[in-house]
Every structure is written in structure tokens, then in C-alpha cells.
Amino acid sequence: HRGQEVDLLIRRGNLLVPVEIKSAETFSVAFVSAIRAYRAELGSTLSEGYVVYGGTDSFVLEGTRALPAGSGLTTGLGLDPR
């Protein structure tokens, strides 16, 4: 990942889930750059990535799912909050 970092790496089974957290209300394709770098280095050990941001739209870009902050983050990440 050569100097790139993600905000969270969550282990789900044998996979790692990369998560970027951004306060911006407008999504930028630059938000997926660190996840892209991790995916290139770690390959199949990395699950779909997530960007949590301050906007209102949910969508997928380059295998990374954008989620609005406060949109049920644990549900969107497939995590059990218990």
C-alpha cells in the first residue's frame, strides 16, 4: 500500500474489510485511492471496501461501497452490533 492508509481494517472471517471515513458531504473518487492500493497489494484477502461520508447517496464505485454516515453503518458493513 506504499504510504496509503485506511481508517479501519475489520476482520470478517478470513477477509479484511477496508473502511475509509470522510466528513465531506460530496463524494470524491479520490476517497477510494487507499482502498484501491490495499486491493492491489492484498488481493483476495480483502473484502469489498467501504467509504463512509457526509453525503446522502449510497452507491458502488470500483468495488467500493459508498455509505452515508448514520445510514446504519453496522448493517451496511454486515457486522453484528451485539
Side-chain angles (χ1 to χ4, degrees), residues 1-69:
H1 47 277
R2 303 180 198 276
Q4 295 276 351
E5 50 88 11
V6 294
D7 294 313
L8 298 170
L9 272 176
I10 301 169
R11 182 169 298 283
R12 189 181 333 165
N14 292 331
L15 297 175
L16 294 173
V17 181
V19 180
E20 277 289 297
I21 301 169
K22 303 294 184 183
S23 62
E25 291 182 7
T26 303
F27 188 88
S28 168
V29 295
F31 293 170
V32 302
S33 65
I35 294 173
R36 186 184 313 119
Y38 270 75
R39 190 172 288 123
E41 186 168 319
L42 300 176
S44 63
T45 61
L46 215 61
S47 170
E48 173 182 39
Y50 293 86
V51 174
V52 179
Y53 76 114
T56 57
D57 296 325
S58 295
F59 55 92
V60 176
L61 176 69
E62 297 181 25
T64 299
R65 183 172 301 278
L67 297 173

